[in-house]
Amino acid sequence: MPWAGELAPDIQEAIRKIRFIAFDFDGVFTDNMVYTFEDGREAVRSSRFEGEGLDKLRTLGIGMTVISAEANPVVAARCRKLKIPCIQGCDDKISVLRDIVRNENITMENVAYVGNDIRDIPCLKVAGLPVVVSDAHPDVLPYARYTTTRPGGNGAVREICDLFDAIIRKGKGG
């Protein structure tokens, strides 16, 4: 992760405005790989670092959710463990994101969106801080204002959380 002070001032300012983060799941919380068992069950690989990072966001008062196109019990189970709300089977992520903005009484400027693939582009286009993981699909990279140094499922979410914590706490004198 880059040291927070190395970030461009406009990105630091965007981070200070964030009140809510929406994450894609596959390829962000996971390494985008899936283990498929003969009975059809699936398993994914994710990093245990993420939980501590999400706790930092909670301490900062930043709301969060997962918006996933995939409807899969493994997504729900991991989100329950991480204590993060999850919206699954979502073909229209941008409508869900707009509903969140309305319900939270914030603007898109107050939202960070973290994605990795072309289904995330509509949300990345409107978010105040569009973020992609380092191993995102090449078509998504131009939409990011911040690209993680860590790949999805390998600490990318924690990197984002640690970065927000460093920037926001510094701004509060902490």
Side-chain angles (χ1 to χ4, degrees):
M1 174 182 82
W3 179 65
E6 295 174 350
L7 284 178
D10 65 312
I11 295 177
Q12 291 185 47
E13 184 57 31
I15 289 171
R16 287 186 193 97
K17 293 177 183 177
I18 299 304
R19 300 293 169 261
F20 197 93
I21 301 179
F23 299 92
D24 181 26
F25 188 81
D26 291 315
V28 173
F29 280 89
T30 75
D31 62 2
N32 220 16
M33 302 300 283
V34 63
Y35 302 97
T36 307
F37 300 98
E38 59 195 25
D39 63 0
R41 288 179 304 120
E42 293 183 353
V44 297
R45 182 178 169 274
S46 56
S47 172
R48 291 199 180 267
F49 281 125
E50 316 306 27
E52 189 75 29
L54 295 172
D55 285 344
K56 288 181 177 187
L57 294 181
R58 287 183 192 94
T59 299
L60 293 169
I62 295 174
M64 62 194 109
T65 196
V66 165
I67 304 173
S68 179
E70 182 80 18
N72 192 324
V74 75
V75 176
R78 185 67 183 142
C79 287
R80 265 192 314 275
K81 176 113 180 171
L82 293 170
K83 300 176 188 142
I84 183 170
C86 176
I87 300 156
Q88 290 192 76
C90 183
D91 290 328
D92 188 6
K93 291 182 177 188
I94 189 69
S95 290
V96 169
L97 190 61
R98 286 187 175 122
D99 286 345
I100 289 168
V101 165
R102 189 171 34 260
N103 292 337
E104 293 289 322
N105 199 26
I106 57 176
T107 67
M108 284 294 180
E109 182 181 46
N110 304 122
V111 174
Y113 184 87
V114 185
N116 77 308
D117 212 337
I118 57 175
R119 285 186 181 180
D120 298 312
I121 291 173
C123 292
L124 292 167
K125 282 182 171 180
V126 299
L129 183 62
V131 178
V132 300
V133 295
S134 66
D135 59 337
H137 190 278
D139 289 350
V140 178
L141 296 175
Y143 297 96
R145 284 184 67 197
Y146 179 79
T147 302
T148 65
T149 60
R150 308 282 308 177
N154 290 283
V157 171
R158 178 63 179 268
E159 176 183 330
I160 294 162
C161 297
D162 288 348
L163 182 64
F164 276 51
D165 183 57
I167 297 288
I168 293 169
R169 280 191 315 116
K170 178 183 171 191
K172 293 181 178 177

